[in-house]
Amino acid sequence: MAPRPLIRIPTDKKIHLFLHVAAALLAGLLLLLFFFLVMLPYYTRQEQLRSIPQVEGLSYQEGVRRLQDAGFLPVVQDTVFVAGAALNSIVEQYPPSGQLAKSGRKVYLRITPSSVPKIPIPEVIGLSTEYGLRRLQQAGFQHIQLRYLPHPETPPNNIVGLNNSRGSVLSPHTPFSLSDTLVVVVSESPESQIEVPQLMGLSEEEARFVVRALGLQIGKVEYVFDQPGLPLGMVVKQNPLPHYWEEGKKHYRHVSRGSYIDLWVVGMPVPQEEATEDSLPTP
């Protein structure tokens, strides 16, 4: 068998060495271009990234249509009643609008129900106005009016009854629409004084709700940043305080309707909505 001829690459001249180096660099460059222009888009599908459309505030049907037309898959994650929001509308989406995602990405939606829900009224008769209002808010009631009436048998500023906006008496556990106004009847003190509520420990939102419902007003609000162990938005100080000590006895402080209460809150301010007539107390 004849021996195979050897292929010899000449390198004895500088021009040959230069050509070999240039060929190696060109091959490397071509490999990089192939990787970034062909292989990488193939695996990551970057050419299919699309911008997620804005659907918050739209009706559920319109939002679903826009997402599907853009190539995304809408998924309802939760249904929640939001005062002021249209029924059967989208109030939150994730990922947010403008974010780039692949075609077929799931977009999770939080929508309002198709009808206003009714929930049972919690037990609040006999409670202090402050505590009763907090229980009603935690249950989901957002349209509340206070009506003060003389009630000699009951200490002042206690809840003595519940009515609807037409004056009909309501009992605890009665299903009540969240869009209607719940009238809370409160025993009136002879001097028309209101007991200063305990706001420390509440969130700023809860404190504003209680203060407004009691017929008081929020005064100065300062945000403190030296309480790292407390949650953002918690009220840590108020003026005036709800009580004071004198000769070893605890005395509850009372103020006139319309008085201001100053707050000190942990962290950053929260956006505020304008008060509506339904959310203001009835003198």
Side-chain angles (χ1 to χ4, degrees):
M1 179 182 295
R4 294 183 180 179
L6 297 177
I7 301 176
R8 180 176 180 277
I9 300 177
T11 57
D12 52 342
K13 295 184 180 180
K14 290 184 178 181
I15 187 62
H16 294 157
L17 182 61
F18 174 78
L19 291 176
H20 297 158
V21 172
L25 291 175
L26 180 60
L29 179 61
L30 291 176
L31 286 174
L32 287 176
L33 291 175
F34 178 77
F35 175 76
F36 283 106
L37 297 181
V38 179
M39 297 302 296
L40 189 61
Y42 175 79
Y43 285 106
T44 62
R45 299 181 182 271
Q46 288 187 356
E47 74 279 3
Q48 295 185 13
L49 290 179
R50 303 180 182 185
S51 177
I52 297 177
Q54 167 73 25
V55 295
E56 289 183 13
L58 300 179
S59 68
Y60 172 67
Q61 292 79 3
E62 175 65 17
V64 167
R65 185 188 65 78
R66 290 196 182 185
L67 288 171
Q68 290 176 339
D69 289 347
F72 300 104
L73 178 63
V75 177
V76 176
Q77 188 177 38
D78 192 15
T79 301
V80 59
F81 177 76
V82 178
L87 296 175
N88 203 30
S89 64
I90 299 172
V91 293
E92 189 177 340
Q93 69 178 87
Y94 182 83
S97 61
Q99 182 171 318
L100 296 178
K102 300 176 185 178
S103 178
R105 169 73 156 86
K106 291 181 180 180
V107 178
Y108 296 95
L109 306 175
R110 177 173 290 182
I111 67 173
T112 57
S114 57
S115 60
V116 179
K118 291 185 177 183
I119 61 175
I121 301 174
E123 290 272 6
V124 294
I125 295 177
L127 301 180
S128 68
T129 309
E130 171 200 343
Y131 185 57
L133 289 175
R134 287 167 58 185
R135 288 197 63 180
L136 290 170
Q137 184 196 32
Q138 291 168 357
F141 293 96
Q142 303 176 37
H143 300 286
I144 297 177
Q145 287 184 350
L146 296 189
R147 181 170 297 162
Y148 289 89
L149 294 176
H151 206 272
E153 299 83 8
T154 307
N157 297 314
N158 277 23
I159 297 175
V160 296
L162 299 166
N163 295 341
N164 60 21
S165 58
R166 297 177 295 277
S168 301
V169 177
L170 301 173
S171 301
H173 310 296
T174 301
F176 193 80
S177 174
L178 291 180
S179 64
D180 293 342
T181 299
L182 180 64
V183 180
V184 178
V185 183
V186 178
S187 57
E188 185 175 32
S189 61
E191 302 84 7
S192 297
Q193 295 284 298
I194 299 173
E195 185 178 305
V196 176
Q198 169 66 266
L199 304 175
M200 292 177 289
L202 302 181
S203 68
E204 181 184 353
E205 181 183 4
E206 291 173 333
R208 288 180 178 274
F209 177 85
V210 170
V211 167
R212 186 173 66 245
L214 286 174
L216 303 173
Q217 301 184 66
I218 294 291
K220 176 181 63 177
V221 179
E222 291 190 9
Y223 296 93
V224 297
F225 303 93
D226 57 352
Q227 302 287 341
L230 297 178
L232 293 177
M234 174 183 284
V235 178
V236 293
K237 183 180 175 183
Q238 68 179 84
N239 184 39
L241 293 171
H243 53 76
Y244 61 96
W245 293 88
E246 187 176 295
E247 298 179 353
K249 293 183 178 180
K250 186 177 182 180
H251 300 270
Y252 291 93
R253 186 174 278 111
H254 293 76
V255 294
S256 302
R257 292 182 190 170
S259 299
Y260 288 87
I261 298 183
D262 298 332
L263 302 177
W264 282 258
V265 181
V266 177
M268 300 298 293
V270 298
Q272 297 301 319
E273 298 181 356
E274 295 184 0
T276 62
E277 292 184 359
D278 285 346
S279 63
L280 298 176
T282 301

